[in-house]
Amino acid sequence: MPMDVGEADADIPVVSLSDGVVTLRPWSRAEAGFMAEAFADPAIRRYNGPHDRLGRPAPPLSIKDAEAIIDEFASSWRAFVAAEPPSGVAFAITDAASGGLVGCCGVDDWSQADVAQFGYWIGPGARGRGYATRAVVLLTRWLFELGAARAFLTVEADNEASAAVARRAGFVHEGTMRAHSVWQGERIDVMWFAALPLEWAMREPDEPA
């Protein structure tokens, strides 16, 4: 798996992961328009956007809001290069051939016990093409290379497409947390998927079992 770490825009680190079909790289402020447009999509507002305690989605992002989020990503990348855990870093998911943006994946948290939690979304015009599964595999392999002892993600029980991505990427459904989330005042079950480095089915053939 190609991996390049360098410097771009004076002090913003660049980490690029690719399998030849999908490339993951840090976001640029110039891409705030894509992010803002994506977060107006009903599915992304439902499953990925911020909600209040009653499960009501926040208003769609403005360009300024999206720029602020991308700035936070850049700050997390700088901290990572300074030898801090990659908590808060995020990749733009792109088509490797065209370079076109299709979505996002990132590390939500890296615990003191080296457990990494992450998430992902794909823009509405790029769904159903396998981008999410490839991105999850690339991201998970990178997390294990960094020393993660466990990687996990959570999926709301009615989000069948996202659960299918997790399974295709080699994650094990470990259980369901009942009434763990809320959407528009209704309690929602949340599924828990995880992978361990030595048993992960998507290891490269030459990786130790």
Side-chain angles (χ1 to χ4, degrees):
M1 177 186 63
M3 176 173 171
D4 174 63
V5 181
E7 293 290 328
D9 298 332
D11 65 344
I12 300 175
V14 174
V15 177
S16 178
L17 314 174
S18 184
D19 64 1
V21 177
V22 166
T23 296
L24 309 184
R25 57 158 177 78
W27 284 81
S28 163
R29 270 181 131 244
E31 295 162 339
F34 176 90
M35 180 180 287
E37 182 177 352
F39 269 80
D41 174 67
I44 290 177
R45 294 189 74 200
R46 167 68 180 90
Y47 296 116
N48 301 94
H51 303 154
D52 66 16
R53 64 178 299 176
L54 296 179
R56 296 174 298 204
L61 297 178
S62 67
I63 298 294
K64 186 175 180 180
D65 293 333
E67 288 176 341
I69 291 172
I70 293 170
D71 287 345
E72 290 177 7
F73 293 162
S75 178
S76 295
W77 278 116
R78 294 186 189 101
F80 169 66
V81 170
E84 294 185 23
S87 183
V89 304
F91 290 97
I93 304 171
T94 69
D95 181 275
S98 69
L101 269 168
V102 300
C104 180
C105 62
V107 184
D108 298 319
D109 184 58
W110 183 290
S111 77
Q112 291 186 349
D114 292 326
V115 174
Q117 179 180 6
F118 68 91
Y120 49 86
W121 55 261
I122 299 292
R127 293 174 189 150
R129 304 181 194 176
Y131 289 126
T133 301
R134 287 179 175 274
V136 169
V137 170
L138 284 169
L139 179 61
T140 302
R141 188 169 292 132
W142 181 68
L143 293 171
F144 288 154
E145 288 173 354
L146 292 178
R150 171 181 168 88
F152 78 94
L153 57 102
T154 59
V155 178
E156 295 206 357
D158 61 345
N159 191 352
E160 297 177 1
S162 190
V165 166
R167 291 188 174 97
R168 285 195 298 268
F171 279 66
V172 175
H173 177 216
E174 294 186 333
T176 298
M177 299 176 287
R178 296 174 297 168
H180 187 75
S181 183
V182 61
W183 171 249
Q184 302 285 26
E186 179 183 356
R187 302 305 304 187
I188 303 294
D189 293 348
V190 174
M191 295 183 289
W192 190 288
F193 290 89
L196 304 180
L198 296 183
E199 67 181 28
W200 187 43
M202 310 303 286
R203 293 192 314 268
E204 292 286 358
D206 59 351
E207 289 185 71

